[in-house]
Amino acid sequence: MAEVIYPRMAVIGCGLIGSSVIRAVRRAGVVETIVVADASSAVRDRVAELGFADEVTGSVADAVKDADLVVLAVPVLAMEAVAKAAAGSLKAGATVTDVGSVKGQVSEALARNLPDSVFIVPGHPIAGTEQSGPDAGFAELFDKRWTILTPLPRQDDPYLEAVQQLADFWTALGANVDRMDDKHHDLVLAVTSHLPHLIAYNIVGTAADLEEVARAEVMKYSAGGFRDFTRIAASDPTMWRDIFLANKDAVLEILGRFTEDLQALSRAIRWGEGDKLFELFSRTREIRRGVIAAGQESPEPNFGRDRERH
Amino acid sequence: MAEVIYPRMAVIGCGLIGSSVIRAVRRAGVVETIVVADASSAVRDRVAELGFADEVTGSVADAVKDADLVVLAVPVLAMEAVAKAAAGSLKAGATVTDVGSVKGQVSEALARNLPDSVFIVPGHPIAGTEQSGPDAGFAELFDKRWTILTPLPRQDDPYLEAVQQLADFWTALGANVDRMDDKHHDLVLAVTSHLPHLIAYNIVGTAADLEEVARAEVMKYSAGGFRDFTRIAASDPTMWRDIFLANKDAVLEILGRFTEDLQALSRAIRWGEGDKLFELFSRTREIRRGVIAAGQESPEPNFGRDRERH
């Protein structure tokens, strides 16, 4: 049996990530008692049916009482309201973390609303699928994926110990753990996650709105590449609206770079500059190899989605 | 045993698609003798080792002699040279098709160079992976994927019969077959394939060139969405250079729409218009469902790439 890291854990918001944390915690055996709070009665009913929590409640204040670890797993712009609801009921010495995809704004919201008696350690597991809700989660979601912690600028020993304890927790859940400054996190994620989602949402929207090409044609002939983009463009709309609003500056900066590069590429096509195209298309191949070598991607062709076919 | 559709088939160019056609033909049993021509001696040696062709040659003229079906499976801008090399040796009444991703320009190149005694039926199987070469092919590649034929504007019975015979051939290889005008094909594919590849190449290039975010970070944290784009950005550089040059007008037109939409999205983020973002992100979800319903995508989360993980 694994060592218990936090006797009592409260998870606020039980969607894809919240429910995956719970399943991974149960697999790891690092928590004794699991309490879930969710604002949706449908989600609460489903969590009760799934049977992976010891207690299910609609009250954030009730859920966090006596908890050693509180995991906020709600959309980024809902974090502040949840922090306010939790503030008066938190146990002194508890660790409060979150799983939000934007860290600067969330970190400020937590620091502004939570008491000094708790350890605030913002975090972000870089893992997910395009699906949502408590049924979508699974225990292996975080295996070999990176969780980034963005600790506050505190150097006191109790705080550093709380950060280390949370890092150990994520390691027990199967993740690799990194620490970085929250501003840098938000820039890195604007590149590796937010811009890709923005581009995917945009191209799927463009294709859906064309008059010259029917939607049925777009869907039928999507195996030429388009279908890949539909996956992340099927991600949760609330979650992603919040991310773009909360990480506006970094997203717009990276989007500016992307647009500049796209204009150069467009010009190369217009003027028939084949060498420029060939040079870019050769370089990008190496990045794929690096992603696979970093253990973050299947080496199989077509993501292995054709595995049953050959 | 299946009925033989073409006693003798020549495949010119034995990469991912050419070798998949051969493997699918062998599975279907619709050809008696398979001849391969490839300009690369390394590819010819490998094809001989793989043992799926009856004859392997470096000469297009030798390969097409006596062939009932000639399949041109070379990059789009190499089609014209191959057509010229084949022209003097083609059997009267042979069908000549291709698998190029652009149809208008290829169709013209074939019509300009091939004798009137053969049936030219341009085609495009919408299937593939990001890998290249004779080892990358597999017999199931075309199963349930669409092959589009873009026949010439000829209405004589022998030609229409040749088109139907080629449609039957692709059906035997597992594909669904559609017919359309080559200009419409090029516009549809600009949306469902060429623009997605352009965007993917561009975003991977942008991410690789940033000074503020290290390449190692881009790779480590790519599971947030970026890794999806690296797949199609790992596709064959020569093939894709040729596609953008050969389908310039349609690609630039669709790219213009994409850019316009992206500017509107950028503006919505800048001005904090959450409702606009939410509306788009909800609509795009439906397109994913349509692609899955059309049988062109795995319904599993993350393309099924995490299948082994849960």
Side-chain angles (χ1 to χ4, degrees):
Chain A
M1 194 58 196
E3 211 178 327
V4 168
I5 300 178
Y6 299 106
R8 190 177 180 91
M9 171 178 80
V11 175
I12 314 302
C14 198
L16 167 68
I17 301 297
S19 76
S20 292
V21 167
I22 293 170
R23 288 171 168 106
V25 157
R26 292 177 69 94
R27 185 186 64 165
V30 291
V31 164
E32 282 168 354
T33 306
I34 299 170
V35 189
V36 163
D38 199 287
S40 153
S41 63
V43 170
R44 291 197 300 274
D45 290 349
R46 186 62 190 143
V47 171
E49 275 170 30
L50 289 166
F52 53 52
D54 300 291
E55 298 170 31
V56 186
T57 172
S59 161
V60 172
D62 286 354
V64 304
K65 210 171 289 173
D66 299 323
D68 304 287
L69 174 68
V70 176
V71 180
L72 308 184
V74 298
V76 163
L77 293 187
M79 294 284 183
E80 180 147 30
V82 169
K84 281 181 175 150
S89 309
L90 290 164
K91 181 165 88 170
T95 292
V96 179
T97 189
D98 75 301
V99 298
S101 303
V102 180
K103 296 268 65 73
Q105 192 163 322
V106 169
S107 199
E108 285 168 25
L110 300 186
R112 197 161 48 227
N113 291 284
L114 297 180
D116 291 341
S117 59
V118 301
F119 299 114
I120 301 169
V121 189
H124 178 208
I126 304 175
T129 78
E130 68 279 20
Q131 304 193 342
S132 313
D135 284 285
F138 52 99
E140 298 80 7
L141 181 63
F142 310 111
D143 286 351
K144 297 187 207 156
R145 298 288 168 261
W146 289 89
T147 290
I148 298 177
L149 302 181
T150 60
L152 306 185
R154 280 176 65 171
Q155 298 297 332
D156 55 297
D157 284 345
Y159 184 71
L160 296 181
E161 279 163 31
V163 173
Q164 185 56 51
Q165 198 175 24
L166 186 62
D168 293 344
F169 171 83
W170 278 107
T171 303
L173 268 51
N176 305 320
V177 180
D178 262 350
R179 302 174 190 195
M180 66 176 72
D181 170 63
D182 56 11
K183 294 295 173 218
H184 188 63
H185 167 279
D186 289 353
L187 187 65
V188 170
L189 270 289
V191 179
T192 65
S193 181
H194 308 170
L195 179 64
H197 277 78
L198 191 71
I199 295 306
Y201 279 123
N202 192 67
I203 194 171
V204 175
T206 300
D209 291 346
L210 290 171
E211 303 86 31
E212 305 92 327
V213 179
R215 274 191 183 208
E217 290 181 308
V218 169
M219 293 166 182
K220 275 170 77 175
Y221 309 127
S222 61
F226 178 75
R227 62 176 174 167
D228 285 24
F229 294 75
T230 64
R231 187 187 77 76
I232 58 180
S235 301
D236 187 72
T238 304
M239 171 182 163
W240 282 96
R241 176 199 61 197
D242 283 11
I243 288 170
F244 293 118
L245 298 178
N247 199 25
K248 179 166 82 171
D249 293 346
V251 167
L252 291 177
E253 180 183 332
I254 299 298
L255 177 59
R257 295 292 197 97
F258 171 87
T259 303
E260 201 175 290
D261 291 345
L262 189 60
Q263 280 163 348
L265 195 48
S266 170
R267 195 173 185 282
I269 292 172
R270 191 177 298 282
W271 292 95
E273 296 170 337
D275 291 352
K276 276 194 190 164
L277 302 181
F278 188 85
E279 188 273 330
L280 172 65
F281 302 170
S282 303
R283 281 200 298 131
T284 52
R285 237 179 180 182
E286 293 164 31
I287 304 290
R288 173 82 180 165
R289 284 192 278 266
V291 168
I292 292 169
Q296 299 305 306
E297 178 60 287
S298 166
E300 290 187 70
N302 267 334
F303 304 119
R305 58 151 85 92
D306 291 324
R307 204 175 306 164
E308 71 280 11
R309 307 172 77 207
H310 68 290
Chain B
M1 194 60 196
E3 211 178 328
V4 168
I5 300 178
Y6 298 105
R8 189 176 179 91
M9 171 178 80
V11 174
I12 314 302
C14 199
L16 167 68
I17 301 297
S19 76
S20 292
V21 167
I22 294 170
R23 288 170 168 107
V25 157
R26 292 177 69 95
R27 185 186 64 166
V30 292
V31 165
E32 282 167 354
T33 306
I34 299 170
V35 189
V36 163
D38 199 287
S40 153
S41 63
V43 169
R44 290 197 301 273
D45 290 350
R46 186 63 190 143
V47 170
E49 276 170 29
L50 289 166
F52 53 52
D54 298 293
E55 298 171 29
V56 186
T57 173
S59 162
V60 172
D62 286 353
V64 304
K65 210 171 291 173
D66 300 323
D68 303 287
L69 174 68
V70 176
V71 180
L72 309 182
V74 298
V76 163
L77 293 187
M79 293 285 182
E80 180 147 30
V82 170
K84 281 182 175 151
S89 308
L90 288 164
K91 181 165 88 170
T95 292
V96 179
T97 189
D98 75 299
V99 298
S101 303
V102 179
K103 297 270 61 74
Q105 193 163 321
V106 169
S107 199
E108 285 167 26
L110 299 186
R112 198 161 48 228
N113 290 283
L114 297 181
D116 291 341
S117 58
V118 302
F119 300 115
I120 301 169
V121 188
H124 178 207
I126 304 175
T129 78
E130 68 278 20
Q131 303 193 343
S132 314
D135 284 285
F138 52 99
E140 298 80 7
L141 181 62
F142 309 112
D143 287 350
K144 297 187 208 157
R145 298 288 167 261
W146 289 90
T147 290
I148 297 178
L149 301 182
T150 61
L152 306 184
R154 279 177 65 172
Q155 298 297 331
D156 55 296
D157 284 345
Y159 185 72
L160 296 181
E161 278 162 32
V163 173
Q164 185 56 50
Q165 199 175 24
L166 186 62
D168 293 344
F169 171 84
W170 277 107
T171 302
L173 268 50
N176 305 320
V177 181
D178 262 350
R179 301 173 191 196
M180 65 176 71
D181 170 63
D182 56 11
K183 294 295 172 218
H184 188 63
H185 167 280
D186 289 354
L187 188 65
V188 170
L189 270 289
V191 180
T192 64
S193 181
H194 307 171
L195 179 64
H197 277 77
L198 191 71
I199 296 306
Y201 280 123
N202 192 68
I203 194 172
V204 175
T206 300
D209 291 346
L210 290 171
E211 303 86 33
E212 305 92 327
V213 178
R215 274 190 184 209
E217 290 181 307
V218 168
M219 292 165 182
K220 275 169 77 173
Y221 309 127
S222 62
F226 178 75
R227 62 176 175 168
D228 285 23
F229 293 75
T230 64
R231 187 187 77 77
I232 59 180
S235 301
D236 187 72
T238 303
M239 170 182 164
W240 282 96
R241 176 199 62 196
D242 283 11
I243 289 171
F244 293 118
L245 298 178
N247 200 26
K248 181 165 80 171
D249 293 347
V251 168
L252 291 178
E253 180 184 332
I254 299 297
L255 177 59
R257 294 292 197 96
F258 171 86
T259 304
E260 201 175 291
D261 291 345
L262 189 59
Q263 280 163 348
L265 195 49
S266 169
R267 194 173 187 282
I269 293 172
R270 191 178 298 281
W271 292 96
E273 296 170 337
D275 291 350
K276 277 194 189 165
L277 302 181
F278 188 86
E279 188 273 329
L280 172 65
F281 302 169
S282 303
R283 280 199 299 131
T284 51
R285 235 178 183 184
E286 292 165 32
I287 304 291
R288 173 83 179 164
R289 284 192 279 265
V291 169
I292 292 169
Q296 299 305 305
E297 177 61 286
S298 167
E300 290 186 70
N302 266 334
F303 305 119
R305 58 151 83 95
D306 291 324
R307 205 174 307 163
E308 72 278 11
R309 306 173 76 207
H310 68 290

